[in-house]
Amino acid sequence: MCGIGGAFREDGGHPESAALERMSLAMRERGPDDDGLFLGVGVGLVHRRLSILDLTEAGRCPISNRDGSIQVVHNGEIYNFAELREELEAQGHQFQSKGDSEVVVHGYREWGEGVFARLEGMFALAIWDVQRQRLLLARDRFGKKPLYLLRKEGRLVFASTLNAIQAHEAGHLEVNQEAMECYLSHGFIPHPHTIWQHVESLPPAHYGVMEGEGNLRVQPYWQFSGQPPRKISVAEAEEQLDEIIDRSVRRRLVADVPVGGFLSGGVDSSLVMARAAAHSPRVNTFSIGFEEAEFSELPYARRVADHIGSNHHELVLDVTAIYDILPDLVWQYGQPFGDSSAIPTHVVSRLARESVKVSLSGDGGDESFAGYWRAESGVYADYLRRFLPDAVRSRALPSVARVLEKIGQGSVAERLKRLDHLASGAPGATYSNSESWMDTLGELKGEFFRSHPEDHDLLACRVGKPFPEGDIGVLRQILYDDFQVLLPDAYLVKVDVASMAASLEVRCPFLDKELVEMAWSLTDSMKLRGPKRKWLLKRVAAKHVPEDVIYRPKLGFALPMGHWWANGLLDILSELMSESRAVARGFIQKEPVQRAIDQYGRGNREHATRLWLILWLELWTRIVLEGSMDRASSLLEVLPSK
């Protein structure tokens, strides 16, 4: 796990070494153990190393073949590197290291552009072919590792972080209006957008080729299958899934440094760590909880830790932790990012880093096995759309919702309202933005958007593209949407940045190619059976984890935001808004934000997420865009009385 970057000049000139050094320093948390630099005709490559495999000098990047004609920088892990190495050695290739990065060098020599489809793991990488003056960039299938590109004025600049590109350009970047609009509407910025104009994110499962004065050629090397679900018995599917999960976990335990794992007390992380403990007794597990008991899953995490016999570590998080953490975390993300669970993710990563360098996580299980309410609601909305006429539905469902509210079933009523809203819209329309500013965006946007074109399709950015091989059914399309957009651009970005800011590598067994493809091949009923989400996965998990942990309501890795806003954060945001830099820049209007603050102070809790988006945007404007606030600051410094 590392940070990579580089620059390519179409005219063959030498990239500026000082700019490359700035780029490297901006990624130092991603690779505190070592740094590397390659300068050649028309190209420069930088690397920050977090040593995981082959800790010797031979394992450092940039790594090359014996004559130096192939140079590679690599971020991530290639889990099938041992098998690839054996195959390449049989073809006569001679290796100098014992790590995974070198298989990219020899794999490219042997298979050319076909090497990317052979790699199984999480990676972002660059290959410089000296003889052909050819640069290749690639990203793993599911977007676990980020890779950002700046294409401008005959140059291509790339890096693992937006901060590195900003440092290379000495801050001379302009804010992207469409990206800002996406952030305020969705809480994150979907690819290819980034917050900077001319800077984009390379899509997952794609590689790009740049040579001479031609344009960057980007193309996919993997795609989900268009074949219909296969016919398989529950018993057979259960056995296969259990074996694949175990195999995936074992692959991710390979390291030359200590490996542990996050343990939230939910299904996915509990199953991952149960399988890890079977192969690594007394494995370290790490959990974060909250003082607010209704938000804390520590009791379940402890129960699983006792059951699997792990060496368990935990920490209770309160609001005071945010004051010192948030400014630096805002800088680490490099662009506005609205998922408040980035805070506990970073804190648990710091806790883990005290004992290990690598941590396993349960990310990816919900996307493959329909673990989220939106998958279930999308299927139900489709049923309503097809079987209940619009006129009947529009009258009946709101009436039922009102009755439910009167008898104290407000949460059920709210879901019924959302289903009615979903069923009224086009299939696939976004349905996760009810807590954002999307519905009031016209009122919120400031002068910055005055020249913004009106043809920006916010829903298309959020939902993703239709499956290329035709209709695959409602549930599969929803899961496909998540794999295209929400997983790589929100959830995996959250984990990657939050963990790498603590110099910790996070590995995701559920994002194994074999496992994802197996899950994709299953029928809908194996994933969603009535109201039972992750049906087959829970059956497998119940073999290894106590059933009372598996079959309980999903809580999720979130902050007790209502309590925290009422105990300091609202005062901090109010003070920031008194001289708002986001307002001064024209990103937002002050009045709707102040109205939301006032309403929240009077007990209207529906604005919690909207206010969090504004808090992050305000800090990003000051820390990243302007540099008027130091990333090492505490939020307490904002308050005049402190």
Side-chain angles (χ1 to χ4, degrees):
M1 184 72 70
C2 309
I4 67 170
F8 174 86
R9 290 183 51 166
E10 294 180 8
D11 62 7
H14 288 277
E16 183 185 347
S17 60
L20 293 170
E21 289 290 349
R22 292 195 303 268
M23 173 182 280
S24 177
L25 286 172
M27 299 186 290
R28 57 186 177 272
E29 285 87 359
R30 296 187 75 91
D33 297 334
D34 196 6
D35 63 278
L37 171 68
F38 171 82
L39 272 175
V41 177
V43 75
L45 306 175
V46 297
H47 189 264
R48 300 294 310 199
R49 187 183 186 193
L50 181 66
S51 304
I52 302 296
L53 290 169
D54 191 347
L55 311 185
T56 70
E57 181 76 9
R60 72 191 301 261
C61 284
I63 192 166
S64 68
N65 55 349
R66 290 183 180 274
D67 64 8
S69 61
I70 304 295
Q71 300 283 339
V72 169
V73 286
H74 167 221
N75 168 30
E77 302 292 344
I78 309 300
Y79 299 124
N80 64 333
F81 79 96
E83 300 96 306
L84 293 177
R85 177 178 178 136
E86 183 178 351
E87 184 177 352
L88 289 164
E89 285 178 331
Q91 297 295 324
H93 293 265
Q94 297 181 351
F95 284 73
Q96 304 172 71
S97 74
K98 296 181 180 179
D100 58 334
S101 298
E102 196 176 357
V103 300
V104 179
V105 177
H106 296 285
Y108 173 69
R109 287 295 302 270
E110 184 69 26
W111 303 307
E113 296 176 23
V115 64
F116 305 120
R118 291 174 173 261
L119 303 179
E120 296 181 17
M122 55 177 186
F123 57 85
L125 57 87
I127 303 171
W128 175 241
D129 186 329
V130 176
Q131 294 176 345
R132 298 179 63 178
Q133 296 289 283
R134 188 179 196 230
L135 178 69
L136 298 95
L137 305 170
R139 193 173 175 206
D140 65 70
R141 288 170 178 81
F142 309 116
K144 185 69 179 70
K145 293 291 99 189
L147 192 59
Y148 300 103
L149 316 175
L150 166 66
R151 288 191 271 178
K152 190 178 181 182
E153 300 166 350
R155 299 180 298 125
L156 173 68
V157 179
F158 65 91
S160 297
T161 72
L162 289 169
N163 287 336
I165 291 181
Q166 187 186 24
H168 184 279
E169 298 298 293
H172 298 148
L173 296 172
E174 296 182 3
V175 177
N176 183 329
Q177 292 182 345
E178 291 188 353
M180 184 68 75
E181 202 172 42
C182 282
Y183 169 70
L184 294 170
S185 300
H186 309 313
F188 68 99
I189 300 175
H191 75 272
H193 299 305
T194 75
I195 197 60
W196 304 118
Q197 290 186 33
H198 307 296
V199 181
E200 61 194 87
S201 175
L202 184 69
H206 282 68
Y207 71 93
V209 181
M210 188 86 175
E211 50 191 331
E213 297 183 3
N215 294 323
L216 180 70
R217 170 171 56 88
V218 177
Q219 61 188 64
Y221 62 85
W222 178 87
Q223 175 60 281
F224 283 94
S225 170
Q227 294 296 313
R230 60 194 177 114
K231 296 180 180 179
I232 184 175
S233 69
V234 170
E236 188 178 0
E238 200 172 305
E239 181 181 2
Q240 287 183 14
L241 181 58
D242 201 0
E243 291 175 353
I244 292 172
I245 291 172
D246 187 65
R247 189 156 52 243
S248 176
V249 170
R250 279 190 284 114
R251 279 184 163 185
R252 285 156 182 79
L253 290 172
V254 176
D256 294 329
V257 294
V259 179
F262 298 155
L263 187 58
S264 70
V267 174
D268 302 337
S269 66
S270 298
L271 176 54
V272 165
M273 294 318 299
R275 302 316 300 139
H279 303 289
S280 181
R282 298 297 296 168
V283 65
N284 285 285
T285 53
F286 309 93
S287 300
I288 291 291
F290 304 104
E291 291 182 333
E292 299 77 16
E294 66 272 25
F295 287 90
S296 185
E297 294 186 291
L298 283 180
Y300 296 104
R302 292 174 195 147
R303 175 125 166 72
V304 174
D306 289 342
H307 181 78
I308 66 176
S310 67
N311 182 26
H312 192 55
H313 311 257
E314 60 184 40
L315 183 68
V316 175
L317 186 63
D318 65 27
V319 69
T320 60
I322 288 183
Y323 300 148
D324 295 330
I325 289 172
L326 189 54
D328 184 65
L329 209 53
V330 167
W331 182 87
Q332 295 284 353
Y333 278 88
Q335 66 181 355
F337 185 75
D339 189 341
S340 60
S341 66
I343 297 287
T345 303
H346 178 60
V347 173
V348 76
S349 296
R350 297 204 321 196
L351 175 66
R353 190 62 178 85
E354 295 174 4
S355 305
V356 301
K357 248 184 175 180
V358 177
S359 179
L360 306 185
S361 86
D363 294 293
D366 288 308
E367 287 74 17
S368 278
F369 294 95
Y372 294 122
W373 158 246
R374 65 176 164 274
E376 182 182 350
S377 63
V379 171
Y380 290 164
D382 184 64
Y383 289 157
L384 289 173
R385 186 183 299 113
R386 286 189 288 127
F387 299 119
L388 200 62
D390 290 348
V392 175
R393 186 185 65 249
S394 62
R395 290 194 299 269
L397 294 189
S399 299
V400 174
R402 285 193 293 271
V403 172
L404 289 171
E405 287 173 339
K406 289 180 180 179
I407 63 175
Q409 297 294 319
S411 62
V412 179
E414 183 60 32
R415 288 193 171 186
L416 198 61
K417 291 177 185 177
R418 289 170 61 190
L419 279 177
D420 181 39
H421 176 71
L422 279 175
S424 301
T430 182
Y431 45 87
S432 65
N433 302 302
S434 60
E435 297 179 348
S436 76
W437 294 94
M438 184 168 185
D439 294 337
T440 55
L441 196 58
E443 179 186 3
L444 179 70
K445 291 192 301 186
E447 290 293 317
F448 173 73
F449 294 95
R450 177 76 45 105
S451 62
H452 183 59
E454 296 298 325
D455 59 352
H456 179 211
D457 191 338
L458 279 167
L459 296 186
C461 286
R462 165 62 183 82
V463 174
K465 300 175 182 177
F467 192 74
E469 297 184 34
D471 183 19
I472 52 174
V474 172
L475 181 59
R476 263 186 162 188
Q477 182 64 52
I478 292 171
L479 300 181
Y480 182 69
D481 290 343
D482 279 354
F483 269 103
Q484 285 188 97
V485 181
L486 198 63
L487 181 67
D489 298 329
Y491 298 156
L492 294 182
V493 166
K494 175 190 71 176
V495 175
D496 176 78
V497 178
S499 60
M500 291 309 297
S503 302
L504 179 78
E505 171 172 310
V506 174
R507 300 176 175 179
C508 306
F510 280 110
L511 293 178
D512 181 87
K513 170 179 173 287
E514 182 186 18
L515 201 162
V516 171
E517 290 181 338
M518 187 270 181
W520 182 258
S521 74
L522 297 173
T523 60
D524 289 355
S525 63
M526 295 274 195
K527 303 163 191 173
L528 182 64
R529 186 162 293 202
K532 297 177 181 178
R533 293 173 243 157
K534 297 201 289 194
W535 183 79
L536 182 67
L537 184 64
K538 288 182 178 180
R539 287 176 63 94
V540 172
K543 295 180 178 180
H544 308 287
V545 180
E547 288 198 10
D548 60 316
V549 173
I550 300 303
Y551 295 104
R552 66 179 180 86
K554 182 181 179 68
L555 183 57
F557 203 20
L559 299 177
M561 292 302 299
H563 176 80
W564 289 20
W565 278 119
N567 287 273
L569 277 185
L570 200 63
D571 293 335
I572 289 170
L573 178 57
S574 295
E575 189 62 33
L576 288 170
M577 289 303 298
S578 68
E579 296 183 10
S580 170
R581 299 308 304 153
V583 170
R585 290 270 177 171
F587 298 148
I588 56 175
Q589 300 276 1
K590 185 174 183 177
E591 290 75 16
V593 177
Q594 191 60 56
R595 189 160 53 248
I597 291 174
D598 294 341
Q599 291 175 357
Y600 196 91
R602 293 195 298 267
N604 185 343
R605 295 297 184 254
E606 70 175 20
H607 295 301
T609 298
R610 297 184 189 99
L611 294 179
W612 182 262
L613 296 180
I614 299 301
L615 175 61
W616 194 294
L617 174 61
E618 184 65 33
L619 293 174
W620 175 84
T621 304
R622 295 169 184 239
I623 296 168
V624 179
L625 182 60
E626 297 182 343
S628 59
M629 182 176 181
D630 193 278
R631 59 186 278 206
S633 300
S634 169
L635 291 183
L636 290 177
E637 299 172 16
V638 171
L639 298 175
S641 60
K642 297 296 181 179

